[in-house]
Amino acid sequence: MTQAPAAPKAARRQHDREIIALAVPAFGALVAEPLFVMADSAIVGHLGTAQLAGLGVASALLTTAVSVFVFLAYATTAAVARRVGAGDLQAAIRQGMDGIWLALLLGAAVIAVVLPTAPALVELFGASDTAAPYAITYLRISSLGIPAMLVVLASTGVLRGLQDTKTPLYVAIGGFVANGVLNVALVYGAGLGIAGSAWGTVIAQCAMAAVYLFVVVRGARRHGASLRPDAAGIRACAQAGAPLLVRTLSLRAILMIATAVAARLGDADVAAHQIILSLWSLLAFALDAIAIAGQAIIGRYLGANDPQGARDVCRRMVQWGIASGVALGVLVVLARPLFIPLFSSDSVVQDAALPALVVVAISQPICGIVYVLDGVLMGAGDGPYLAWAMLATLAVFAPVALLVPTFGGGLTAVWGAMTLMMAVRMVTLWLRTRSGHWIVTGATR
């Protein structure tokens, strides 16, 4: 009788160790990425307002371009982890190389589009006449680093699939430091202005990609995996990533709708919305770290033909997601009187943000469940369901959010609609995980 609970407790401890070992470094890497933009903003901001405004427009375009292809990391993680679970490291790394080749092809295509259309893209984003030249300069130069950033995404997916999130953390930290040093040297030391900031970022990004390629190529040679591009493998990576691309575009549409609705409410509301959105994104990084652990661990269990292990670790990660969401929600409530004044001293902005932040705090346990289950289904390679579920969520969210200016409620209602969106996602993901249809074992799905 006394021995019965030992096995479940031991299994939970093992799951906890795996989750922590993968999630903590993943969180560090996730937080390091937006620090690139923050460092550039701090350095360029001293050049003048027009330069900073130009950087803001160009960064928004570049961030959108890279985030659209985040499936390179997600799909590669799941595919590589399955093969790791099946014990075929050669095929795992070969799968990763296909993802890297796809990243290079997509990066080249993006450059071909951005270089000639940079002025039109900057104008589309509403840059002023004084800021536009700086935005065009930064966008054209920085676009040269997009292939490197996509290689970083795909390589990160390879290493996560290999159950290694420490290397991406070290590379992210090194890239951040190099970016800061190069920006200062080129912007002020060499007197290149905003162009120097762009070149510094491109050099840092290329250095990060080079480190990743060194690590992956070394692993490929160790396990006898081919480095040459394979058309069939690249097509398979693209097909696996297409549903996740639909999911990502749908999520971006939701965020754009929310910002557009907030803008219609007035300057104070949209300013408060940007403050809350920045906090929401930071909280998402913390919860997404558990999801990344889920992608790697679930893929490995399914590749090892262990459906019960996949179910058990899924259940444990959901518990982690709920607990993390509750802790973050409490932290938001306690810190909100201190957090908002850091961004604005305008009492009207603060009054608009405070009640909306309470809604964000309440929604965090829901967000915790959503991010974990999202990671579980990604790790299982269940991309088509994730695409349809996000399209359904967009269909529910859009009319509700667009009616906020008509029915009132201000910014609090906007974030109420965002909470509804997360609740719909939670229901769709919970129904899928409960059905068990996502559990497909083997080295490939």
Side-chain angles (χ1 to χ4, degrees), residues 225-263:
S226 173
L227 299 175
R228 287 179 294 187
D230 175 65
I234 294 171
R235 281 197 303 271
C237 286
Q239 289 169 355
L244 296 180
L245 175 61
V246 173
R247 169 199 167 276
T248 300
L249 291 174
S250 299
L251 181 58
R252 296 293 300 183
I254 287 170
L255 297 177
M256 289 175 63
I257 290 171
T259 300
V261 171

PDB file of all heavy atoms in Angstrom, residues 225-263:
ATOM      1  N   ALA A 225      24.972  12.101 -41.486  1.00  0.00           N
ATOM      2  CA  ALA A 225      23.822  12.670 -42.201  1.00  0.00           C
ATOM      3  C   ALA A 225      24.304  13.550 -43.351  1.00  0.00           C
ATOM      4  O   ALA A 225      25.280  14.284 -43.227  1.00  0.00           O
ATOM      5  CB  ALA A 225      22.956  13.495 -41.243  1.00  0.00           C
ATOM      6  N   SER A 226      23.604  13.471 -44.465  1.00  0.00           N
ATOM      7  CA  SER A 226      23.972  14.259 -45.642  1.00  0.00           C
ATOM      8  C   SER A 226      23.683  15.742 -45.421  1.00  0.00           C
ATOM      9  O   SER A 226      22.695  16.112 -44.788  1.00  0.00           O
ATOM     10  CB  SER A 226      23.188  13.766 -46.862  1.00  0.00           C
ATOM     11  OG  SER A 226      23.415  14.614 -47.974  1.00  0.00           O
ATOM     12  N   LEU A 227      24.566  16.572 -45.967  1.00  0.00           N
ATOM     13  CA  LEU A 227      24.390  18.028 -45.864  1.00  0.00           C
ATOM     14  C   LEU A 227      23.791  18.628 -47.129  1.00  0.00           C
ATOM     15  O   LEU A 227      23.425  19.799 -47.145  1.00  0.00           O
ATOM     16  CB  LEU A 227      25.753  18.692 -45.591  1.00  0.00           C
ATOM     17  CG  LEU A 227      26.462  18.292 -44.292  1.00  0.00           C
ATOM     18  CD1 LEU A 227      27.840  18.939 -44.235  1.00  0.00           C
ATOM     19  CD2 LEU A 227      25.636  18.705 -43.086  1.00  0.00           C
ATOM     20  N   ARG A 228      23.687  17.831 -48.182  1.00  0.00           N
ATOM     21  CA  ARG A 228      23.214  18.349 -49.459  1.00  0.00           C
ATOM     22  C   ARG A 228      21.700  18.562 -49.437  1.00  0.00           C
ATOM     23  O   ARG A 228      20.976  17.827 -48.760  1.00  0.00           O
ATOM     24  CB  ARG A 228      23.593  17.400 -50.583  1.00  0.00           C
ATOM     25  CG  ARG A 228      25.078  17.418 -50.923  1.00  0.00           C
ATOM     26  CD  ARG A 228      25.416  16.445 -52.017  1.00  0.00           C
ATOM     27  NE  ARG A 228      25.217  15.061 -51.588  1.00  0.00           N
ATOM     28  CZ  ARG A 228      25.577  14.004 -52.314  1.00  0.00           C
ATOM     29  NH1 ARG A 228      26.110  14.178 -53.510  1.00  0.00           N
ATOM     30  NH2 ARG A 228      25.372  12.790 -51.850  1.00  0.00           N
ATOM     31  N   PRO A 229      21.219  19.569 -50.173  1.00  0.00           N
ATOM     32  CA  PRO A 229      19.769  19.795 -50.215  1.00  0.00           C
ATOM     33  C   PRO A 229      19.040  18.631 -50.859  1.00  0.00           C
ATOM     34  O   PRO A 229      19.507  18.060 -51.854  1.00  0.00           O
ATOM     35  CB  PRO A 229      19.633  21.077 -51.047  1.00  0.00           C
ATOM     36  CG  PRO A 229      20.892  21.164 -51.841  1.00  0.00           C
ATOM     37  CD  PRO A 229      21.960  20.538 -51.004  1.00  0.00           C
ATOM     38  N   ASP A 230      17.908  18.273 -50.296  1.00  0.00           N
ATOM     39  CA  ASP A 230      17.077  17.185 -50.818  1.00  0.00           C
ATOM     40  C   ASP A 230      15.704  17.763 -51.139  1.00  0.00           C
ATOM     41  O   ASP A 230      14.990  18.217 -50.235  1.00  0.00           O
ATOM     42  CB  ASP A 230      16.969  16.063 -49.788  1.00  0.00           C
ATOM     43  CG  ASP A 230      16.022  14.964 -50.238  1.00  0.00           C
ATOM     44  OD1 ASP A 230      16.326  14.289 -51.234  1.00  0.00           O
ATOM     45  OD2 ASP A 230      14.963  14.789 -49.589  1.00  0.00           O
ATOM     46  N   ALA A 231      15.363  17.777 -52.417  1.00  0.00           N
ATOM     47  CA  ALA A 231      14.116  18.425 -52.849  1.00  0.00           C
ATOM     48  C   ALA A 231      12.902  17.837 -52.152  1.00  0.00           C
ATOM     49  O   ALA A 231      12.009  18.573 -51.699  1.00  0.00           O
ATOM     50  CB  ALA A 231      13.960  18.310 -54.368  1.00  0.00           C
ATOM     51  N   ALA A 232      12.838  16.513 -52.038  1.00  0.00           N
ATOM     52  CA  ALA A 232      11.690  15.866 -51.400  1.00  0.00           C
ATOM     53  C   ALA A 232      11.606  16.248 -49.927  1.00  0.00           C
ATOM     54  O   ALA A 232      10.516  16.517 -49.395  1.00  0.00           O
ATOM     55  CB  ALA A 232      11.792  14.356 -51.555  1.00  0.00           C
ATOM     56  N   GLY A 233      12.763  16.280 -49.262  1.00  0.00           N
ATOM     57  CA  GLY A 233      12.776  16.648 -47.849  1.00  0.00           C
ATOM     58  C   GLY A 233      12.378  18.093 -47.626  1.00  0.00           C
ATOM     59  O   GLY A 233      11.657  18.421 -46.683  1.00  0.00           O
ATOM     60  N   ILE A 234      12.842  18.993 -48.498  1.00  0.00           N
ATOM     61  CA  ILE A 234      12.492  20.410 -48.388  1.00  0.00           C
ATOM     62  C   ILE A 234      10.985  20.604 -48.615  1.00  0.00           C
ATOM     63  O   ILE A 234      10.329  21.368 -47.903  1.00  0.00           O
ATOM     64  CB  ILE A 234      13.315  21.244 -49.381  1.00  0.00           C
ATOM     65  CG1 ILE A 234      14.796  21.202 -48.987  1.00  0.00           C
ATOM     66  CG2 ILE A 234      12.819  22.684 -49.425  1.00  0.00           C
ATOM     67  CD1 ILE A 234      15.728  21.814 -50.014  1.00  0.00           C
ATOM     68  N   ARG A 235      10.445  19.891 -49.616  1.00  0.00           N
ATOM     69  CA  ARG A 235       8.990  19.966 -49.856  1.00  0.00           C
ATOM     70  C   ARG A 235       8.217  19.459 -48.647  1.00  0.00           C
ATOM     71  O   ARG A 235       7.191  20.039 -48.270  1.00  0.00           O
ATOM     72  CB  ARG A 235       8.608  19.164 -51.096  1.00  0.00           C
ATOM     73  CG  ARG A 235       8.871  19.858 -52.404  1.00  0.00           C
ATOM     74  CD  ARG A 235       8.113  19.197 -53.551  1.00  0.00           C
ATOM     75  NE  ARG A 235       8.454  17.777 -53.662  1.00  0.00           N
ATOM     76  CZ  ARG A 235       9.455  17.308 -54.396  1.00  0.00           C
ATOM     77  NH1 ARG A 235      10.225  18.138 -55.072  1.00  0.00           N
ATOM     78  NH2 ARG A 235       9.682  16.003 -54.450  1.00  0.00           N
ATOM     79  N   ALA A 236       8.689  18.390 -48.032  1.00  0.00           N
ATOM     80  CA  ALA A 236       8.005  17.839 -46.859  1.00  0.00           C
ATOM     81  C   ALA A 236       8.011  18.842 -45.709  1.00  0.00           C
ATOM     82  O   ALA A 236       7.005  19.001 -45.000  1.00  0.00           O
ATOM     83  CB  ALA A 236       8.667  16.534 -46.426  1.00  0.00           C
ATOM     84  N   CYS A 237       9.141  19.543 -45.528  1.00  0.00           N
ATOM     85  CA  CYS A 237       9.218  20.579 -44.483  1.00  0.00           C
ATOM     86  C   CYS A 237       8.227  21.707 -44.761  1.00  0.00           C
ATOM     87  O   CYS A 237       7.561  22.205 -43.856  1.00  0.00           O
ATOM     88  CB  CYS A 237      10.635  21.139 -44.402  1.00  0.00           C
ATOM     89  SG  CYS A 237      11.823  20.036 -43.636  1.00  0.00           S
ATOM     90  N   ALA A 238       8.155  22.112 -46.025  1.00  0.00           N
ATOM     91  CA  ALA A 238       7.227  23.187 -46.398  1.00  0.00           C
ATOM     92  C   ALA A 238       5.780  22.765 -46.176  1.00  0.00           C
ATOM     93  O   ALA A 238       4.959  23.548 -45.684  1.00  0.00           O
ATOM     94  CB  ALA A 238       7.447  23.581 -47.851  1.00  0.00           C
ATOM     95  N   GLN A 239       5.462  21.511 -46.538  1.00  0.00           N
ATOM     96  CA  GLN A 239       4.093  21.022 -46.348  1.00  0.00           C
ATOM     97  C   GLN A 239       3.734  20.935 -44.871  1.00  0.00           C
ATOM     98  O   GLN A 239       2.611  21.257 -44.473  1.00  0.00           O
ATOM     99  CB  GLN A 239       3.950  19.650 -47.014  1.00  0.00           C
ATOM    100  CG  GLN A 239       3.961  19.720 -48.540  1.00  0.00           C
ATOM    101  CD  GLN A 239       4.083  18.353 -49.181  1.00  0.00           C
ATOM    102  OE1 GLN A 239       4.244  17.338 -48.510  1.00  0.00           O
ATOM    103  NE2 GLN A 239       4.024  18.315 -50.519  1.00  0.00           N
ATOM    104  N   ALA A 240       4.701  20.509 -44.035  1.00  0.00           N
ATOM    105  CA  ALA A 240       4.448  20.432 -42.602  1.00  0.00           C
ATOM    106  C   ALA A 240       4.291  21.822 -41.988  1.00  0.00           C
ATOM    107  O   ALA A 240       3.528  22.015 -41.032  1.00  0.00           O
ATOM    108  CB  ALA A 240       5.582  19.683 -41.909  1.00  0.00           C
ATOM    109  N   GLY A 241       5.010  22.805 -42.553  1.00  0.00           N
ATOM    110  CA  GLY A 241       4.957  24.157 -42.003  1.00  0.00           C
ATOM    111  C   GLY A 241       3.786  24.983 -42.482  1.00  0.00           C
ATOM    112  O   GLY A 241       3.402  25.958 -41.823  1.00  0.00           O
ATOM    113  N   ALA A 242       3.173  24.612 -43.628  1.00  0.00           N
ATOM    114  CA  ALA A 242       2.091  25.421 -44.202  1.00  0.00           C
ATOM    115  C   ALA A 242       0.922  25.631 -43.231  1.00  0.00           C
ATOM    116  O   ALA A 242       0.443  26.764 -43.072  1.00  0.00           O
ATOM    117  CB  ALA A 242       1.609  24.791 -45.506  1.00  0.00           C
ATOM    118  N   PRO A 243       0.421  24.577 -42.552  1.00  0.00           N
ATOM    119  CA  PRO A 243      -0.674  24.812 -41.598  1.00  0.00           C
ATOM    120  C   PRO A 243      -0.262  25.735 -40.450  1.00  0.00           C
ATOM    121  O   PRO A 243      -1.078  26.550 -39.987  1.00  0.00           O
ATOM    122  CB  PRO A 243      -0.993  23.398 -41.077  1.00  0.00           C
ATOM    123  CG  PRO A 243      -0.465  22.473 -42.107  1.00  0.00           C
ATOM    124  CD  PRO A 243       0.736  23.140 -42.664  1.00  0.00           C
ATOM    125  N   LEU A 244       0.985  25.622 -40.002  1.00  0.00           N
ATOM    126  CA  LEU A 244       1.444  26.497 -38.921  1.00  0.00           C
ATOM    127  C   LEU A 244       1.581  27.935 -39.406  1.00  0.00           C
ATOM    128  O   LEU A 244       1.417  28.881 -38.625  1.00  0.00           O
ATOM    129  CB  LEU A 244       2.771  25.991 -38.367  1.00  0.00           C
ATOM    130  CG  LEU A 244       2.725  24.607 -37.697  1.00  0.00           C
ATOM    131  CD1 LEU A 244       4.109  24.210 -37.191  1.00  0.00           C
ATOM    132  CD2 LEU A 244       1.717  24.596 -36.553  1.00  0.00           C
ATOM    133  N   LEU A 245       1.865  28.115 -40.699  1.00  0.00           N
ATOM    134  CA  LEU A 245       1.884  29.456 -41.279  1.00  0.00           C
ATOM    135  C   LEU A 245       0.491  30.062 -41.228  1.00  0.00           C
ATOM    136  O   LEU A 245       0.318  31.238 -40.871  1.00  0.00           O
ATOM    137  CB  LEU A 245       2.394  29.400 -42.714  1.00  0.00           C
ATOM    138  CG  LEU A 245       2.361  30.713 -43.502  1.00  0.00           C
ATOM    139  CD1 LEU A 245       3.222  31.772 -42.834  1.00  0.00           C
ATOM    140  CD2 LEU A 245       2.821  30.484 -44.943  1.00  0.00           C
ATOM    141  N   VAL A 246      -0.529  29.271 -41.572  1.00  0.00           N
ATOM    142  CA  VAL A 246      -1.926  29.740 -41.486  1.00  0.00           C
ATOM    143  C   VAL A 246      -2.264  30.112 -40.061  1.00  0.00           C
ATOM    144  O   VAL A 246      -2.894  31.153 -39.790  1.00  0.00           O
ATOM    145  CB  VAL A 246      -2.894  28.652 -41.997  1.00  0.00           C
ATOM    146  CG1 VAL A 246      -4.343  29.047 -41.761  1.00  0.00           C
ATOM    147  CG2 VAL A 246      -2.653  28.387 -43.483  1.00  0.00           C
ATOM    148  N   ARG A 247      -1.839  29.280 -39.106  1.00  0.00           N
ATOM    149  CA  ARG A 247      -2.084  29.563 -37.678  1.00  0.00           C
ATOM    150  C   ARG A 247      -1.446  30.886 -37.278  1.00  0.00           C
ATOM    151  O   ARG A 247      -2.062  31.719 -36.612  1.00  0.00           O
ATOM    152  CB  ARG A 247      -1.520  28.423 -36.839  1.00  0.00           C
ATOM    153  CG  ARG A 247      -1.471  28.713 -35.353  1.00  0.00           C
ATOM    154  CD  ARG A 247      -0.499  27.773 -34.647  1.00  0.00           C
ATOM    155  NE  ARG A 247      -0.212  28.231 -33.303  1.00  0.00           N
ATOM    156  CZ  ARG A 247       0.713  29.141 -33.008  1.00  0.00           C
ATOM    157  NH1 ARG A 247       1.423  29.713 -33.969  1.00  0.00           N
ATOM    158  NH2 ARG A 247       0.916  29.491 -31.742  1.00  0.00           N
ATOM    159  N   THR A 248      -0.183  31.095 -37.675  1.00  0.00           N
ATOM    160  CA  THR A 248       0.525  32.311 -37.297  1.00  0.00           C
ATOM    161  C   THR A 248      -0.105  33.550 -37.914  1.00  0.00           C
ATOM    162  O   THR A 248      -0.269  34.581 -37.250  1.00  0.00           O
ATOM    163  CB  THR A 248       2.004  32.209 -37.729  1.00  0.00           C
ATOM    164  OG1 THR A 248       2.598  31.079 -37.083  1.00  0.00           O
ATOM    165  CG2 THR A 248       2.766  33.457 -37.346  1.00  0.00           C
ATOM    166  N   LEU A 249      -0.473  33.466 -39.201  1.00  0.00           N
ATOM    167  CA  LEU A 249      -1.109  34.609 -39.868  1.00  0.00           C
ATOM    168  C   LEU A 249      -2.449  34.946 -39.218  1.00  0.00           C
ATOM    169  O   LEU A 249      -2.804  36.127 -39.075  1.00  0.00           O
ATOM    170  CB  LEU A 249      -1.299  34.305 -41.348  1.00  0.00           C
ATOM    171  CG  LEU A 249      -0.013  34.237 -42.189  1.00  0.00           C
ATOM    172  CD1 LEU A 249      -0.333  33.787 -43.607  1.00  0.00           C
ATOM    173  CD2 LEU A 249       0.686  35.594 -42.203  1.00  0.00           C
ATOM    174  N   SER A 250      -3.200  33.937 -38.805  1.00  0.00           N
ATOM    175  CA  SER A 250      -4.479  34.174 -38.137  1.00  0.00           C
ATOM    176  C   SER A 250      -4.267  34.887 -36.802  1.00  0.00           C
ATOM    177  O   SER A 250      -5.009  35.808 -36.444  1.00  0.00           O
ATOM    178  CB  SER A 250      -5.212  32.848 -37.904  1.00  0.00           C
ATOM    179  OG  SER A 250      -5.482  32.197 -39.126  1.00  0.00           O
ATOM    180  N   LEU A 251      -3.239  34.468 -36.066  1.00  0.00           N
ATOM    181  CA  LEU A 251      -2.934  35.109 -34.793  1.00  0.00           C
ATOM    182  C   LEU A 251      -2.485  36.550 -35.002  1.00  0.00           C
ATOM    183  O   LEU A 251      -2.886  37.451 -34.242  1.00  0.00           O
ATOM    184  CB  LEU A 251      -1.855  34.310 -34.053  1.00  0.00           C
ATOM    185  CG  LEU A 251      -1.442  34.836 -32.682  1.00  0.00           C
ATOM    186  CD1 LEU A 251      -2.641  34.919 -31.743  1.00  0.00           C
ATOM    187  CD2 LEU A 251      -0.354  33.945 -32.075  1.00  0.00           C
ATOM    188  N   ARG A 252      -1.668  36.781 -36.030  1.00  0.00           N
ATOM    189  CA  ARG A 252      -1.250  38.162 -36.325  1.00  0.00           C
ATOM    190  C   ARG A 252      -2.453  39.026 -36.687  1.00  0.00           C
ATOM    191  O   ARG A 252      -2.524  40.199 -36.314  1.00  0.00           O
ATOM    192  CB  ARG A 252      -0.259  38.157 -37.496  1.00  0.00           C
ATOM    193  CG  ARG A 252       1.050  37.443 -37.241  1.00  0.00           C
ATOM    194  CD  ARG A 252       1.926  38.097 -36.223  1.00  0.00           C
ATOM    195  NE  ARG A 252       2.313  39.457 -36.576  1.00  0.00           N
ATOM    196  CZ  ARG A 252       3.131  40.193 -35.842  1.00  0.00           C
ATOM    197  NH1 ARG A 252       3.646  39.715 -34.726  1.00  0.00           N
ATOM    198  NH2 ARG A 252       3.443  41.413 -36.204  1.00  0.00           N
ATOM    199  N   ALA A 253      -3.411  38.441 -37.409  1.00  0.00           N
ATOM    200  CA  ALA A 253      -4.622  39.187 -37.768  1.00  0.00           C
ATOM    201  C   ALA A 253      -5.402  39.581 -36.516  1.00  0.00           C
ATOM    202  O   ALA A 253      -5.936  40.700 -36.418  1.00  0.00           O
ATOM    203  CB  ALA A 253      -5.495  38.344 -38.693  1.00  0.00           C
ATOM    204  N   ILE A 254      -5.474  38.683 -35.548  1.00  0.00           N
ATOM    205  CA  ILE A 254      -6.161  38.980 -34.287  1.00  0.00           C
ATOM    206  C   ILE A 254      -5.498  40.159 -33.580  1.00  0.00           C
ATOM    207  O   ILE A 254      -6.180  41.095 -33.122  1.00  0.00           O
ATOM    208  CB  ILE A 254      -6.169  37.728 -33.388  1.00  0.00           C
ATOM    209  CG1 ILE A 254      -7.164  36.697 -33.938  1.00  0.00           C
ATOM    210  CG2 ILE A 254      -6.517  38.086 -31.941  1.00  0.00           C
ATOM    211  CD1 ILE A 254      -7.083  35.341 -33.273  1.00  0.00           C
ATOM    212  N   LEU A 255      -4.176  40.155 -33.502  1.00  0.00           N
ATOM    213  CA  LEU A 255      -3.460  41.238 -32.828  1.00  0.00           C
ATOM    214  C   LEU A 255      -3.625  42.556 -33.578  1.00  0.00           C
ATOM    215  O   LEU A 255      -3.767  43.622 -32.958  1.00  0.00           O
ATOM    216  CB  LEU A 255      -1.981  40.878 -32.699  1.00  0.00           C
ATOM    217  CG  LEU A 255      -1.668  39.643 -31.837  1.00  0.00           C
ATOM    218  CD1 LEU A 255      -0.171  39.344 -31.857  1.00  0.00           C
ATOM    219  CD2 LEU A 255      -2.151  39.844 -30.406  1.00  0.00           C
ATOM    220  N   MET A 256      -3.623  42.507 -34.905  1.00  0.00           N
ATOM    221  CA  MET A 256      -3.813  43.727 -35.693  1.00  0.00           C
ATOM    222  C   MET A 256      -5.219  44.291 -35.512  1.00  0.00           C
ATOM    223  O   MET A 256      -5.405  45.509 -35.400  1.00  0.00           O
ATOM    224  CB  MET A 256      -3.536  43.434 -37.171  1.00  0.00           C
ATOM    225  CG  MET A 256      -2.075  43.186 -37.487  1.00  0.00           C
ATOM    226  SD  MET A 256      -1.792  42.707 -39.217  1.00  0.00           S
ATOM    227  CE  MET A 256      -2.342  44.190 -40.063  1.00  0.00           C
ATOM    228  N   ILE A 257      -6.212  43.414 -35.461  1.00  0.00           N
ATOM    229  CA  ILE A 257      -7.595  43.872 -35.246  1.00  0.00           C
ATOM    230  C   ILE A 257      -7.724  44.534 -33.884  1.00  0.00           C
ATOM    231  O   ILE A 257      -8.342  45.606 -33.748  1.00  0.00           O
ATOM    232  CB  ILE A 257      -8.585  42.696 -35.382  1.00  0.00           C
ATOM    233  CG1 ILE A 257      -8.672  42.240 -36.836  1.00  0.00           C
ATOM    234  CG2 ILE A 257      -9.976  43.094 -34.870  1.00  0.00           C
ATOM    235  CD1 ILE A 257      -9.445  40.949 -37.031  1.00  0.00           C
ATOM    236  N   ALA A 258      -7.146  43.928 -32.877  1.00  0.00           N
ATOM    237  CA  ALA A 258      -7.217  44.490 -31.524  1.00  0.00           C
ATOM    238  C   ALA A 258      -6.583  45.880 -31.478  1.00  0.00           C
ATOM    239  O   ALA A 258      -7.146  46.815 -30.874  1.00  0.00           O
ATOM    240  CB  ALA A 258      -6.523  43.566 -30.534  1.00  0.00           C
ATOM    241  N   THR A 259      -5.425  46.040 -32.128  1.00  0.00           N
ATOM    242  CA  THR A 259      -4.758  47.343 -32.148  1.00  0.00           C
ATOM    243  C   THR A 259      -5.571  48.364 -32.943  1.00  0.00           C
ATOM    244  O   THR A 259      -5.693  49.536 -32.532  1.00  0.00           O
ATOM    245  CB  THR A 259      -3.349  47.211 -32.750  1.00  0.00           C
ATOM    246  OG1 THR A 259      -2.587  46.288 -31.957  1.00  0.00           O
ATOM    247  CG2 THR A 259      -2.637  48.548 -32.787  1.00  0.00           C
ATOM    248  N   ALA A 260      -6.148  47.944 -34.063  1.00  0.00           N
ATOM    249  CA  ALA A 260      -6.967  48.855 -34.877  1.00  0.00           C
ATOM    250  C   ALA A 260      -8.197  49.328 -34.107  1.00  0.00           C
ATOM    251  O   ALA A 260      -8.567  50.509 -34.178  1.00  0.00           O
ATOM    252  CB  ALA A 260      -7.384  48.154 -36.167  1.00  0.00           C
ATOM    253  N   VAL A 261      -8.831  48.427 -33.374  1.00  0.00           N
ATOM    254  CA  VAL A 261     -10.005  48.805 -32.581  1.00  0.00           C
ATOM    255  C   VAL A 261      -9.599  49.768 -31.474  1.00  0.00           C
ATOM    256  O   VAL A 261     -10.284  50.778 -31.227  1.00  0.00           O
ATOM    257  CB  VAL A 261     -10.690  47.551 -31.989  1.00  0.00           C
ATOM    258  CG1 VAL A 261     -11.782  47.945 -30.994  1.00  0.00           C
ATOM    259  CG2 VAL A 261     -11.299  46.705 -33.105  1.00  0.00           C
ATOM    260  N   ALA A 262      -8.476  49.486 -30.791  1.00  0.00           N
ATOM    261  CA  ALA A 262      -8.003  50.386 -29.736  1.00  0.00           C
ATOM    262  C   ALA A 262      -7.714  51.771 -30.295  1.00  0.00           C
ATOM    263  O   ALA A 262      -7.997  52.790 -29.643  1.00  0.00           O
ATOM    264  CB  ALA A 262      -6.760  49.801 -29.072  1.00  0.00           C
ATOM    265  N   ALA A 263      -7.156  51.835 -31.506  1.00  0.00           N
ATOM    266  CA  ALA A 263      -6.842  53.122 -32.132  1.00  0.00           C
ATOM    267  C   ALA A 263      -8.107  53.938 -32.387  1.00  0.00           C
ATOM    268  O   ALA A 263      -8.088  55.177 -32.305  1.00  0.00           O
ATOM    269  CB  ALA A 263      -6.081  52.895 -33.431  1.00  0.00           C
TER     270      ALA A 263
END
